[in-house]
Amino acid sequence: MRALTWQGNERVSVEDVPDPTIQEPQDAVVRVTSTAICGSDLHLYGVLGAFLDAGDVLGHEAMGVVEEVGPEAGDLKPGDRVVVPFGIACGGCWMCRHGLQSQCETTQVTDQGSGAALFGYTKLYGQVPGGQAEYLRVPQAHYGPVVVPDDGEPDERYLYLSDVLPTAWQAVEYAQVPEGGSVVVLGLGPIGQMAARVAAHRGAGLVVGVDLVPERLAMAARHGATVIDQNRTDVVGAVRDLTEGRGPDAVIDAVGMEAHGSPLAETMQKASGLLPDMLAKPLTEHAGTDRLAALLTGIELVRRGGVLSLAGVYGGAKDPLPMLRLFDKQVTIRQGQANVRRWTDDLLPLVGDPADPLGVLDLRTHRWPLERAPEAYAMFRGKDDGCVKVVLDPAA
């Protein structure tokens, strides 16, 4: 089959790789009909290469049609149209039963000290082949895949159940925005876009989106957010003007480790990506730092006693944080990988609603053949051509 493979720092290519097969009784094989590029994939593209091998298949946002099932794949059957959550969870362990599927004890990558295995996401998370491919082996298929209607609706109505929507929903849940309250979303990529829409849907009175890309700002404004261009406006001053001087009830950081405005950390990240693996791995694991501009902005923005919800991925081991400021402001911080299956039952009725209350059909800006994936990665990384979300089509 054809699949998008990692080949080196900022180098990916579509190659012929072996077709996936049933390896465990609870496996399924899915023919992928749509697979998206996530902001987290860009961390692999340019930062976390030390934990990848040339030829690793990338991608963790996929959906398609079940082709084959193992004898213990539950009610799943060939022909089912499914969305595949990016985290691999069993549904029966203590963590899964307590809504912490991202910490599944069955698939935890214990040799790396990591949580549940993820599709297409490095040795740190199990080195499981990803979904930017024609076919995908799905472990724990008795629990993970979400069966969606085969109703003629485009994949984009359901695809974002794989990651974007559950991540955004959890970010808003963790933010604890009171009814009629205020929330600032930092970063208006796909997660930030949906976090802003989910917050408004769940009753926030003021949703503010902050970014520097005109197309992202325009999209958020189209869905009701008050937008601030960080290149043109004093963000802290503008937000305080909107919140009676005290700041918002919550801030959602949808940016993470690659924030603009952190030049020293950016230089260190890029330098570590060019080191041999034997040097880069311990540097990342024990001395790595993130670009913290978004996080520091969030700490400054949020009101005293407010909540900072981190949906963007951070990976540093030695990040300096302003603990005095956090303590003095009495800030609560919630964070972590999305527990996808915890939220899909809440989200399914919304994505299936013909009224499209979360605007899932207004997120994808580019749908390209899988063969153009290297070009799509470069475009997404550069925020070129109005790119907000890329969906790849393996059959095109």
Side-chain angles (χ1 to χ4, degrees), residues 362-373:
D362 183 27
L363 183 66
R364 185 261 295 165
T365 52
H366 296 73
R367 185 178 179 91
W368 284 2
L370 176 66
E371 295 291 334
R372 294 184 67 186

Side-chain angles (χ1 to χ4, degrees), residues 320-349:
L321 292 176
M323 295 306 299
L324 172 61
R325 189 70 170 146
L326 286 166
F327 183 85
D328 176 64
K329 292 187 72 172
Q330 203 168 328
V331 173
T332 297
I333 299 178
R334 294 290 305 274
Q335 60 187 313
Q337 296 280 14
N339 304 298
V340 175
R341 290 297 271 116
R342 180 175 180 177
W343 312 117
T344 49
D345 288 348
D346 294 318
L347 286 161
L348 264 170

Side-chain angles (χ1 to χ4, degrees), residues 32 34-38 40-41 59-64 82-88 117-119 131-132 136 144-148 155-168 190-191 194 337-344 347-348 351 360 363 389-391:
V32 178
S34 291
T35 179
I37 301 176
C38 178
S40 299
D41 290 327
H60 59 267
E61 298 184 11
M63 69 174 290
V82 295
V83 175
V84 182
F86 76 91
I88 303 169
L118 309 177
F119 286 103
Q132 289 169 1
L136 174 66
V146 180
V147 179
V148 298
D155 281 0
E156 285 86 350
R157 182 172 288 281
Y158 303 107
L159 174 62
Y160 310 125
L161 291 170
S162 61
D163 180 353
V164 175
L165 278 171
T167 298
I191 301 298
M194 282 302 177
Q337 296 280 14
N339 304 298
V340 175
R341 290 297 271 116
R342 180 175 180 177
W343 312 117
T344 49
L347 286 161
L348 264 170
V351 300
V360 293
L363 183 66
K389 186 67 173 176
V390 182
V391 176

Side-chain angles (χ1 to χ4, degrees), residues 194-268:
M194 282 302 177
R197 299 178 203 181
V198 168
H201 173 78
R202 295 183 56 170
L206 174 67
V207 179
V208 179
V210 180
D211 206 288
L212 44 69
V213 180
E215 292 84 1
R216 294 181 174 191
L217 292 163
M219 179 178 281
R222 194 159 64 238
H223 290 271
T226 299
V227 298
I228 296 175
D229 183 340
Q230 67 191 66
N231 275 336
R232 298 174 177 270
T233 306
D234 170 19
V235 175
V236 174
V239 169
R240 287 184 178 159
D241 287 345
L242 292 167
T243 56
E244 300 179 329
R246 71 176 63 92
D249 298 305
V251 172
I252 296 172
D253 175 358
V255 179
M257 67 166 71
E258 294 191 277
H260 290 269
S262 306
L264 178 58
E266 179 179 0
T267 299
M268 293 178 66

Side-chain angles (χ1 to χ4, degrees), residues 265 268 282-292 295 314-322:
M268 293 178 66
L283 178 65
T284 301
E285 291 176 329
H286 303 297
T289 58
D290 295 304
R291 306 184 208 175
L292 296 177
L295 178 57
Y314 285 96
K318 295 292 184 181
D319 289 331
L321 292 176

